[in-house]
Amino acid sequence: MTLALTNARIVLPEDVVDSVALRVDGDRIVEVADRPAPGDTELDLGGRWLVPGFVDTHVHGGGGESFQSGEPEAVRRAVAHHRLRGSTTVVASLVSRPVGEMVESVARLRELVTDGVVAGVHLEGPFLSEGRCGAHDPALLRDPDPELVRQLLDAGRGAVRMVTIAPERAGGIAAVRAVIAAGAVAAVGHTDATYAVAREAIGAGATVATHLFNAMAPLHHREPGPVLALLDDERVTVELIHDHEHLHPSVVRHVFAVAGGRTSLVSDAISAAGLSDGDYLLGGLGVVVRDGAARLAEGGALAGSTVDVHRAFVNAVRDGIAIADAVASAASTPARALGLDHVGCLTPGFAADVLVLDDDLEIVAVMKDGGWLGDAPQRF
Amino acid sequence: MTESTVFDTPAQLGETLAIEIANGITAAMAERRPYVLGCPGGRSPRPVYAALATQVRLRKLDLSRVVVAMMDEYVESVNGRYRNVDPAASYSCAGFAAREIAGPLARAAGPGRGPSAVWVPDAADPDAHEQRLHESGIDLFILASGASDGHVAFNPPGTHLAATSRVVELPETTRRDNVATFPQFGRVENVPHFGVTVGPATIVANSARAVMVVHGIDKRVTAARLLNSTTYDESWPATVLHACHHPSLYLDTTATRPGAGPE
Ligand SMILES: [Zn+2]
């Protein structure tokens, strides 16, 4: 049976259209047609927005649960939290822990990747700069010894989609190459790299900037550092945490202006995402959440966010990003950056992951793989 | 130099300009100052107004410091005295402002958050319009050009760059263009013979920014005239754009595609 979603402002890859039918059969989008086909079940969306389900490629947890242990029930609950908030595809990010422990987490998460609960694993560490550790325990950071890199990648058997590396560490450039050789994406982040070293990492194949600006040397006119190297290069997708805590809206507007087609909105959400203010644990470190901002109990550094990609998307639109560009940065761009096929676009053949948004862009309904999450909307 | 940008569709053109206006309104609200938007009636700016209403809704903009400043209005001569046409008339610019600009914006913004005022020049006292625009300044003037004679507002070909707000007699060409804009006129005889309008100097002297919006097949001639000029040319008043501060020319692919256009 084919479901036809009609009477919506549909954000397609190239255009926003308001007089077509999005036809869904099983777990796939089968057609963007002028009208429903005979026999289709039609669902009139009452003029609401219809956008692809969002893709969060940098998220540590949510709803009180963390991805860190890889414990299946915890992971499923964190994923459910983000799916209901519009991120229908989630890549589990792990902060720096002892390598042995991370290997075990990756091995557990591998099963959940196979089951389609998470789309992959992002190792945000432990090969990061102590000077730019953010919420990572500096005592656990280390040089990317080839053997350790291999152990972590092997444990995933393809489940590790991305590894963040500070390329200035001893063996950093070789590690970028090793990650790519294993079929994963190398990201530059938590780094004190110079402009030249960041360029070298990109030359070696790094294609993602882990939360650009945050936890890296700031842009300086004589030493532009990693920020300009990453922002300037057409091969690099830049992650932004747009929670109105990590970045000034003008910075976000500027990044969209110069790198709009390769800007990806990530949540960098911690387990406290969606919970009230209080004390939480992130990778063994105490985190205090107050007024929605998560900071380390010691030192006060920003320790990830408490938002979701949908909130970052709404912030972007409110800050003046065109809606189609904001949607792309929350869906197709992160999907493409991590090689996640068939998600992030309202295109025939893609997963039927869609969000229905009201006039204020708040989420009305979420469809994942052709099925509505929560109560199936009967009418709008 | 006037920068020009060609958009795939009028909707994309409208969204880009609407986002800029919305950014300006946001900044004005933060600085607690008014935001004056210079507006034409007619077909050209419609995608901008539609997109602006969407922006207002999506971004929850408060428009209570926004002034919609219209550029012109039709005028009739009664017993030798000029007076604005009835705003209820379907072709009235004041009516257009209420129906297609301020009304939708007010609905998008919500109760108590709509535009604070709509300013329309008054044939009985054109100087008053000139004076208030001089005092407030215009944050951004949306401009549009007549298809066949390049009139801007109701300034006909031959208008001096120094002209300010005043009552003008509308030439045949402008009145013919306006039958296309307001089909309800039916025939050119029904188009009023006079208009009250801002002058080129009103636009140039008071606008911090000006964006000329040109789209559609019937605008190919004016697109070409604007693209092939760099200064004000009295024979094509829309070229006033080049004299403005921070001017931009926004076109769509239809208006710029070479080939058989109306000549
Ligand atoms: Zn981080």
Side-chain angles (χ1 to χ4, degrees):
Chain A
M1 187 193 74
T2 303
L3 175 67
L5 302 171
T6 61
N7 189 22
R9 283 175 284 181
I10 304 184
V11 181
L12 298 175
E14 298 296 327
D15 214 355
V16 179
V17 296
D18 56 9
S19 55
V20 300
L22 188 85
R23 302 183 66 234
V24 170
D25 196 1
D27 60 358
R28 297 276 140 178
I29 295 164
V30 291
E31 192 183 14
V32 179
D34 287 341
R35 59 187 66 81
D40 283 1
T41 302
E42 185 176 344
L43 185 60
D44 184 318
L45 298 183
R48 288 172 180 77
W49 295 94
L50 188 61
V51 304
F54 293 152
V55 177
D56 193 352
T57 53
H58 187 158
V59 48
H60 298 277
E65 303 287 358
S66 164
F67 295 134
Q68 191 68 34
S69 68
E71 198 276 306
E73 277 319 300
V75 172
R76 284 178 196 278
R77 280 195 291 270
V79 167
H81 170 90
H82 283 284
R83 282 186 182 170
L84 278 172
R85 285 158 184 78
S87 296
T88 49
T89 300
V90 162
V91 174
S93 295
L94 303 184
V95 296
S96 305
R97 293 295 296 159
V99 171
E101 184 185 320
M102 291 184 78
V103 165
E104 285 174 29
S105 298
V106 169
R108 278 194 286 269
L109 284 162
R110 184 178 74 214
E111 310 291 326
L112 296 161
V113 173
T114 308
D115 292 348
V117 178
V118 292
V121 178
H122 163 214
L123 302 178
E124 192 184 20
F127 313 122
L128 311 177
S129 157
E130 283 95 355
R132 302 287 171 188
C133 61
H136 295 252
D137 184 346
L140 298 172
L141 304 182
R142 51 196 310 161
D143 291 333
D145 177 86
E147 174 57 23
L148 296 182
V149 176
R150 194 189 56 75
Q151 280 180 29
L152 284 163
L153 291 168
D154 283 358
R157 294 189 207 150
V160 174
R161 295 293 331 149
M162 181 160 79
V163 182
T164 294
I165 294 167
E168 74 277 17
R169 295 208 68 126
I173 299 297
V176 166
R177 293 207 176 87
V179 166
I180 292 158
V185 168
V188 174
H190 286 271
T191 176
D192 250 329
T194 59
Y195 179 79
V197 169
R199 296 274 315 145
E200 201 185 337
I202 297 164
T207 51
V208 168
T210 299
H211 43 60
L212 189 74
F213 295 106
N214 297 117
M216 58 179 68
L219 196 152
H220 186 276
H221 51 286
R222 278 186 293 274
E223 173 42 66
V227 170
L228 197 58
L230 294 160
L231 190 55
D232 259 358
D233 199 296
E234 292 290 332
R235 294 168 288 185
V236 175
T237 300
V238 298
E239 295 180 356
L240 297 181
I241 309 172
H242 192 23
D243 60 350
H244 284 165
E245 295 283 347
H246 283 75
L247 298 169
H248 191 282
S250 295
V251 170
V252 173
R253 274 194 289 272
H254 181 75
V255 170
F256 270 89
V258 300
R262 48 191 182 84
T263 298
S264 105
L265 297 175
V266 298
S267 72
D268 196 17
I270 61 169
S271 56
L275 302 184
S276 44
D277 287 0
D279 298 340
Y280 300 91
L281 209 60
L282 177 68
L285 299 181
V287 171
V288 179
V289 175
R290 187 165 301 138
D291 298 329
R295 293 179 180 275
L296 285 186
E298 264 179 65
L302 281 172
S305 85
T306 60
V307 301
D308 42 63
V309 168
H310 169 257
R311 191 52 44 199
F313 157 77
V314 172
N315 288 344
V317 173
R318 302 247 158 98
D319 289 334
I321 307 304
I323 192 144
D325 297 341
V327 166
S329 67
S332 59
T333 301
R336 201 177 332 108
L338 264 67
L340 306 174
D341 294 332
H342 301 112
V343 294
C345 281
L346 299 182
T347 299
F350 275 54
D353 297 347
V354 305
L355 312 179
V356 181
L357 309 177
D358 67 14
D359 276 351
D360 297 324
L361 298 179
E362 294 305 323
I363 295 174
V364 177
V366 179
M367 174 185 279
K368 166 76 178 163
D369 292 327
W372 296 105
L373 303 184
D375 297 334
Q378 301 301 310
R379 52 196 295 275
F380 285 93
Chain B
M1 253 317 265
T2 304
E3 55 140 24
S4 62
T5 308
V6 181
F7 296 87
D8 286 343
T9 63
Q12 287 173 10
L13 183 164
E15 188 184 28
T16 298
L17 184 49
I19 285 173
E20 178 179 346
I21 294 166
N23 290 347
I25 292 170
T26 305
M29 280 305 290
E31 294 159 20
R32 299 175 179 281
R33 62 173 174 83
Y35 183 92
V36 180
L37 181 64
C39 295
R43 289 167 297 164
S44 295
R46 274 194 180 128
V48 183
Y49 301 142
L52 184 57
T54 300
Q55 285 290 315
V56 167
R57 181 74 206 238
L58 292 178
R59 294 168 67 168
K60 300 184 181 303
L61 297 185
D62 181 346
L63 306 181
S64 55
R65 294 177 186 276
V66 172
V67 173
V68 172
M70 299 305 290
M71 59 189 350
D72 51 22
E73 176 59 298
Y74 287 103
V75 168
E76 51 202 8
S77 172
V78 180
N79 302 327
R81 299 173 73 134
Y82 295 126
R83 70 173 191 209
N84 287 18
V85 298
D86 182 351
S90 59
Y91 51 84
S92 157
C93 296
F96 181 96
R99 286 190 312 275
E100 304 212 23
I101 310 174
L105 290 179
R107 281 194 295 281
R113 293 160 60 93
S116 64
V118 177
W119 292 348
V120 180
D122 184 355
D125 189 4
D127 283 344
H129 196 58
E130 188 73 25
Q131 190 58 35
R132 65 185 168 190
L133 291 176
H134 175 71
E135 282 163 12
S136 68
I138 300 160
D139 290 86
L140 187 148
F141 217 130
I142 305 170
L143 300 175
S145 167
S148 67
D149 66 355
H151 69 267
V152 67
F154 278 149
N155 295 287
T159 301
H160 195 273
L161 183 60
T164 56
S165 297
R166 70 217 184 281
V167 174
V168 294
E169 184 166 4
L170 303 178
E172 180 83 7
T173 46
T174 300
R175 293 171 65 226
R176 282 194 188 287
D177 278 349
N178 291 347
V179 176
T181 304
F182 293 107
Q184 54 270 39
F185 279 129
R187 27 196 284 184
V188 70
E189 288 74 24
N190 297 332
V191 179
H193 286 262
F194 300 94
V196 58
T197 180
V198 298
T202 319
I203 300 169
V204 171
N206 301 309
S207 306
R209 167 132 168 88
V211 181
M212 174 77 67
V213 174
V214 177
H215 59 85
I217 193 163
D218 59 325
K219 294 295 171 86
R220 283 181 180 173
V221 174
T222 197
R225 288 290 295 249
L226 288 162
L227 286 167
N228 294 316
S229 56
T230 55
T231 55
Y232 183 64
D233 175 353
E234 281 187 11
S235 72
W236 205 264
T239 52
V240 69
L241 176 68
H242 301 309
C244 291
H245 299 284
H246 298 213
S248 289
L249 176 59
Y250 283 4
L251 309 124
D252 80 339
T253 49
T254 312
T256 50
R257 193 177 302 140
E263 183 50 85

